[in-house]
Amino acid sequence: MSSRDEKNLKLVEKLSNTNEKLAEDELTSILTKTYDLCRVPPLPDPNVSYNAANFAGVASEAEVSLSIVLKLLNYVTVVKKKHSQQFSQGFVRNIVVSCFLVACEYCDQSYEWSSPEAADVSRKIMNKLCDLCGCGAVTDLLNSRRDSAETQNHDDKHVLVKDGSQSFMKSILQRLSEMLNKSNWRMYPSLKMTYWWILRNTGKDDLGEHLKVLLPPALFIVDDWEDRNKVLGIQCLSHILENTAGSELRWYGRADVIYDALKPLLYSKESEILSSLYPTIIKVSEILEADPAKAGKLKHDSTLDFITHQLLQEMAYEQKLCLRSVYATALPLLVLALKLPAVRWSKELLDVCEDYLATFEGPAAQDRINILKSVEIITQEVHRLVVLLHAAAPNTVQKLCRGLQDVSVHPQCEMLLQSLHAVTMEDV
């Protein structure tokens, strides 16, 4: 038996004896030791792409350590109910944050360092945390606005947190940000997946409140050289954009920072990256162009115009069907976002549409369907422009004819303007 196995056995023996009350300091010591054993080890060389071989044996060892964590939570539950042992707020916060973070590292069996068994124990840990905190679901641990009635429905004898409005979000993010930073995040791939799990399980209100902490990791992940990290970073930014108010993102230039982070990826030739990129960068561009300071101003160099120029340029010369499919999917989204200014690009748009409609990409014809959607949107916008011009024409002609008696003009021009004025007045 190895020294590590001996330590684990001693910890299990201690936690199995629920008749003996262990002090908080001793429980904290057990938690700290087990927490360190549960952590996914760092990569030896963070500049080399990793795979499952880099984490051989990690899941099996973690399963044992995670089982001890679960044993610790069971022990706390039993002594709280059996002996009415009271725990300090600091101890409760430490145990919830530590157990939650180690469970997040292994909660998905598809991770290279996890396994079905480790993921199963992780889910049991999260469920036990819910019981101890009086939560209906694990996501409630991240929700500062959950109903305190949920806690009251649980047995007070084993609930550690009686205040249902108490959130562990701030403490969890503080601990995570200490470990996950720009200088070392590539060494700990499990932390980026923990961050992604927390991000997509955070409620909208809490996401906006903690955006200062949640946004930076997405930015340095998307700025990585590895394609899978770029895709993950785009997914993180997309989730932030979809679940945060545009006005909040424009504060402190956050939307500008997101756009600047995504803009270089427009030159990528990887279909996996581009398929995630276009909906995301179009979304952030819409947020930027919706700025009230830009209301009533028709700019020729908007962020949407830049994306349109880049997309049409790529579409015009692309021969790979996989990329043509990505571009065809993105085009109707972009034209819809442009709205009336799409008319400015009508010639280039229709030239590209004609080329794509003439290309057979398969029996499903999804690319041609997307192109036809784009044509439909352009047609609607052109029709809207014609209607606007037609409605404005009578007033425009009347304004042109005002003051003719005070202005010296060529007789033929005067006759023409008067004729236009007469025809306009007949239509009114």
Side-chain angles (χ1 to χ4, degrees), residues 133-247:
C133 298
C135 300
V138 69
T139 52
D140 290 335
L141 292 171
L142 307 174
N143 184 4
S144 61
R145 293 164 179 81
R146 62 191 176 96
D147 189 358
S148 59
E150 292 180 10
T151 307
Q152 295 173 1
N153 291 332
H154 288 73
D155 186 1
D156 285 345
K157 290 184 178 180
H158 71 268
V159 172
L160 291 178
V161 183
K162 293 185 179 181
D163 181 7
S165 64
Q166 183 177 354
S167 170
F168 296 95
M169 182 66 166
K170 186 176 180 180
S171 300
I172 289 171
L173 290 180
Q174 184 177 354
R175 176 85 65 87
L176 182 63
S177 62
E178 290 171 359
M179 301 183 292
L180 180 70
N181 55 64
K182 191 173 183 179
S183 61
N184 71 348
W185 72 272
R186 282 195 57 85
M187 293 179 62
Y188 300 95
S190 62
L191 292 180
K192 71 179 180 183
M193 303 312 297
T194 298
Y195 160 75
W196 173 224
W197 190 96
I198 292 173
L199 179 65
R200 67 178 188 266
N201 285 282
T202 302
K204 289 187 177 183
D205 293 332
D206 292 290
L207 184 57
E209 181 181 346
H210 298 285
L211 192 58
K212 182 173 68 173
V213 181
L214 288 169
L215 180 58
L219 294 173
F220 58 67
I221 291 173
V222 81
D223 192 37
D224 192 53
W225 58 269
E226 202 169 358
D227 287 349
R228 64 176 163 187
N229 288 329
K230 289 179 181 178
V231 173
L232 177 62
I234 294 170
Q235 290 173 340
C236 294
L237 291 173
S238 176
H239 183 81
I240 290 172
L241 292 170
E242 292 293 336
N243 294 278
T244 310
S247 56

Side-chain angles (χ1 to χ4, degrees), residues 16-34:
S16 298
N17 184 11
T18 57
N19 292 320
E20 180 184 353
K21 291 199 299 183
L22 298 176
E24 283 189 9
D25 290 344
E26 192 167 2
L27 288 172
T28 302
S29 176
I30 295 174
L31 175 63
T32 303
K33 293 175 184 176
T34 312

Side-chain angles (χ1 to χ4, degrees), residues 36-56:
D36 292 337
L37 293 173
C38 286
R39 293 287 309 282
V40 177
L43 292 171
D45 187 356
N47 296 316
V48 177
S49 182
Y50 65 85
N51 53 43
N54 296 106
F55 304 98

